[in-house]
Amino acid sequence: MQSANNQLKLTISLLVSNRKDTVPKCLDSLRPLLEQVDSELIITDTGCDDDLVEYMKKYTDKIVKFIWCSDFAAAR
């Protein structure tokens, strides 16, 4: 989470697909880091359903919708 002086030390960017079996585990594993370091989390949503998007919103409001075109470079 960002500090009062808005100086981020870390940006984490994730490309996320509709993998309900792995996305929560991944985000849960990042929580301690996000809480300990002045940081931000940016998620690129490549086709998640509404339930998973709501789960991701617990971690960040920076969710970018991307229409998957079978190109990881474009998504990055």
Side-chain angles (χ1 to χ4, degrees):
M1 301 296 147
Q2 215 166 355
S3 67
N5 64 6
N6 294 327
Q7 294 294 320
L8 293 174
K9 293 184 180 181
L10 176 66
T11 297
I12 300 169
S13 177
L14 296 176
L15 295 175
V16 176
S17 61
N18 197 35
R19 295 288 308 266
K20 291 183 180 179
D21 58 326
T22 59
V23 172
K25 292 176 190 176
C26 177
L27 293 175
D28 290 344
S29 73
L30 290 174
R31 184 181 298 273
L33 181 62
L34 292 168
E35 291 174 350
Q36 293 172 15
V37 177
D38 290 335
S39 58
E40 67 180 343
L41 173 61
I42 302 169
I43 296 175
T44 302
D45 170 9
T46 64
C48 298
D49 66 22
D50 292 341
D51 291 338
L52 193 52
V53 171
E54 285 303 312
Y55 188 85
M56 294 185 301
K57 286 180 181 178
K58 295 178 188 178
Y59 291 84
T60 184
D61 60 348
K62 296 177 182 180
I63 299 173
V64 179
K65 187 73 173 162
F66 179 81
I67 298 172
W68 183 244
C69 60
S70 298
D71 186 350
F72 285 101
R76 277 191 300 272

